[in-house]
Structure formats: C-alpha cells, structure tokens
Amino acid sequence: MNSYLRILTANLFSGRADPAALGELIEELDVDIVCVQELGPRIAEPLSRLLPGGELGSGEIARGLGIACRHDAVVRQFSLPKRDGWVARLSPTSWSQIDEPIEIVNVHIMAPHTWPYFPRRLTRHGQLSSLIRFLDDDPHVPRAILGDFNASPVWPLYRRLASKLTDAAVEGMRGGPGRHLTWPHLPSIGLKGIFQIDHCFLSNLTATNVQVVAIPGSDHLGLCVDVMANKRDPG
C-alpha cells in the first residue's frame, strides 16, 4: 500500500479528450484522485465508474469540473466568480494513506487572453481573491490546490499563490529547475508545452514526485503529483 496520495489534474479540452485513453492512463499511473476541468458527459460517465468516489459536474462543458476519487470523499463547491471551485474532503476512515482529514481543491481560473479582456481581468482577480479567502478561512487544514490557473510562474496570479503556498512542481524536483510545461499540447505538430499554467499548490503537505503526462485528445498535458502529509512536531 502506498504511503502517498497520487493526484492528477487534467484540463480535458471541452470534453475532447479520449475517455478510454484517459482511463488507461489513470490505471497505468495508479492514480488515487483526478481533478478535471472542461469536463463533458462523454468523459464523466466512464471516469465515475473507474473512480467512484467524489463527484463530477459536467452540465456546462466550459465550466465542467469535478473530483473523482478511488475511495469515498465528501465533495462540495465553494463560490468563485463565474466558475465555482470544488473541494473534496478525505477522511482516514476511507484513506489509509492519511492520519488526519485533508482537502483536495480543484479550480479553473478564467483565461486572460479571450475577449473581452478588461472584464475577464476583473473576474480573474475576483476568482483569486475568493480562492484565497476560502483557504484563509481554515489555514491549518492540509490541502492540495490543483487545476488550470491560466497563469505561468511569471504572472502576478501565480506569484500571489506561491507566496502563500508551496508549488509542488518546485518542491518535487528538489534541485532541478521545477519547470513542468503543460500547454499547449499539439502532438500533430510536435508541440509539447510552452507554458506552465496547470499547477499544484500545497499547504501542510509535501510533494515527493511530480510528472507531466500526455492526455490524448486534450490541448493540455496533465500534472501528476504524489503528496504526503507533513510530519507533526511531537513537541
């Protein structure tokens, strides 16, 4: 039995990703939890069969999010402008890898590059502020915050989160550059990522391994992260 949780975050390109290939990838990697963005019904059904814990919401593909889990988890949504965030609470009674409850958060921050620009900038700022308020409401809970942030490490949105949280891609590399390019993924022209916009931020958790994986049919690469709870100081 693994002592870590393996979490995959994947933008499914408005439901265009290949459901069968995604399932094979999840099984091959032995993933415990999948955070999905741009989820469509075509993928939601087989994904929920493969990982029956958690909850998936695929009503509007552009806003379709969800968290699929190998074991039971309590999933709810929390308010963000235009596109709510999702959080799954994992309990030690269902998850042998943990000794206390932890939370997995899934978000999809609105892209800055589509028209109209100015309102989207305000929405992005509101989404970031609301996410930080949610995290600050209970800052001691061990959390992994994953998703498509539509922000590379040079963007202010990323820097604001990285100032409060640990970037798993940096910690997981330990001595390496910590660059995990996830978008765009266009294998037909040999393009495998220019920007790192899909992230995993950690609070009171530690990343032991991070890898970028191909999601057939998607324009994003997936980010797969192994996390463990931090050891508590006995004093």
Side-chain angles (χ1 to χ4, degrees), residues 12 37 101 136:
L12 302 179
Q37 308 89 42
D136 285 347

Side-chain angles (χ1 to χ4, degrees), residues 1 8 27 66 88-89 98 104 112 120 122 130 145 149 161 165 191:
M1 176 65 66
L8 173 68
E27 291 291 83
R89 190 171 181 88
I98 59 177
I104 309 299
R120 290 187 181 274
L122 293 179
S130 296
I145 302 98
F149 290 81
L161 288 170
L165 304 163
L191 191 58

Side-chain angles (χ1 to χ4, degrees), residues 23-212:
E24 290 172 4
L25 177 67
I26 291 169
E27 291 291 83
E28 178 185 340
L29 294 175
D30 195 20
V31 173
D32 297 299
I33 301 159
V34 180
C35 295
V36 288
Q37 308 89 42
E38 297 191 18
L39 172 67
R42 186 174 68 99
I43 302 175
E45 185 176 343
L47 181 57
S48 64
R49 287 198 303 267
L50 182 62
L51 300 175
E55 187 177 334
L56 300 173
S58 59
E60 297 180 64
I61 292 178
R63 299 186 184 185
L65 273 83
I67 304 176
C69 304
R70 196 165 292 278
H71 307 298
D72 290 340
V74 177
V75 179
R76 64 183 176 90
Q77 298 180 48
F78 61 95
S79 180
L80 297 181
K82 298 292 186 183
R83 188 183 288 150
D84 287 346
W86 288 59
V87 56
R89 190 171 181 88
L90 280 53
S91 168
T93 58
S94 299
W95 298 82
S96 62
Q97 302 99 316
I98 59 177
D99 296 322
E100 63 178 320
I102 74 167
E103 291 184 347
I104 309 299
V105 179
N106 181 23
V107 296
H108 187 187
I109 302 299
M110 187 171 287
H113 61 278
T114 52
W115 182 260
Y117 303 124
F118 185 66
R120 290 187 181 274
R121 180 181 178 185
L122 293 179
T123 300
R124 280 169 59 85
H125 183 270
Q127 289 174 332
L128 173 62
S129 298
S130 296
L131 173 60
I132 290 175
R133 281 196 300 271
F134 168 78
L135 299 175
D136 285 347
D137 279 345
D138 198 349
H140 303 296
V141 175
R143 289 191 180 105
I145 302 98
L146 305 99
D148 177 1
F149 290 81
N150 275 303
S152 75
V154 302
W155 279 65
L157 187 148
Y158 170 92
R159 295 201 303 269
R160 177 89 180 274
L161 288 170
S163 70
K164 299 173 64 67
L165 304 163
T166 300
D167 180 351
V170 174
E171 182 179 62
M173 286 295 289
R174 285 195 170 74
R179 296 180 64 213
H180 292 77
L181 307 180
T182 59
W183 184 86
H185 178 222
L186 301 171
S188 61
I189 59 173
L191 191 58
K192 192 176 181 180
I194 298 175
F195 302 104
Q196 180 184 351
I197 65 173
D198 302 87
H199 303 285
C200 173
F201 294 101
L202 302 176
S203 175
N204 302 310
L205 295 172
T206 298
T208 60
N209 185 59
V210 182
Q211 57 183 314
V212 171

